[in-house]
Amino acid sequence: ATSVELIKDSNSLNMKTNGAIGGVQMTLSHSEGFVLNLTEDAYLADYNTEGTTTTLVIVRPENNELFTRILLA
């Protein structure tokens, strides 16, 4: 891919690309209690949260959805 557009809605982050993506790494800043569910359609998808910062890595994602946010009651 030569371009990627990240699309955020209230509970998920998706991407729109013009080709294959080898991997995604990003760092998120958020409030306490933030929980996410990474895509299972990837070679590897994992994250680490420390306090209010989460770093995630997704290798060879196979669809456009990167993660969904889990809303806690």
Side-chain angles (χ1 to χ4, degrees):
T2 58
S3 70
V4 176
E5 177 184 357
L6 295 177
I7 304 161
K8 177 185 152 298
D9 67 23
S10 61
N11 294 318
S12 67
L13 182 68
N14 296 279
M15 65 180 180
K16 182 178 177 183
T17 70
N18 66 348
I21 296 293
V24 174
Q25 176 180 342
M26 66 179 67
T27 302
L28 307 171
S29 295
H30 49 77
S31 59
E32 291 287 337
F34 179 84
V35 179
L36 59 87
N37 184 30
L38 289 179
T39 181
E40 293 183 8
D41 294 328
Y43 178 75
L44 172 97
D46 204 359
Y47 69 94
N48 182 59
T49 299
E50 294 183 13
T52 58
T53 302
T54 298
T55 301
L56 64 89
V57 175
I58 302 170
V59 178
R60 290 192 349 229
E62 296 180 10
N63 65 34
N64 293 334
E65 185 175 84
L66 298 176
F67 67 83
T68 56
R69 177 177 165 215
I70 300 171
L71 299 175
L72 300 175

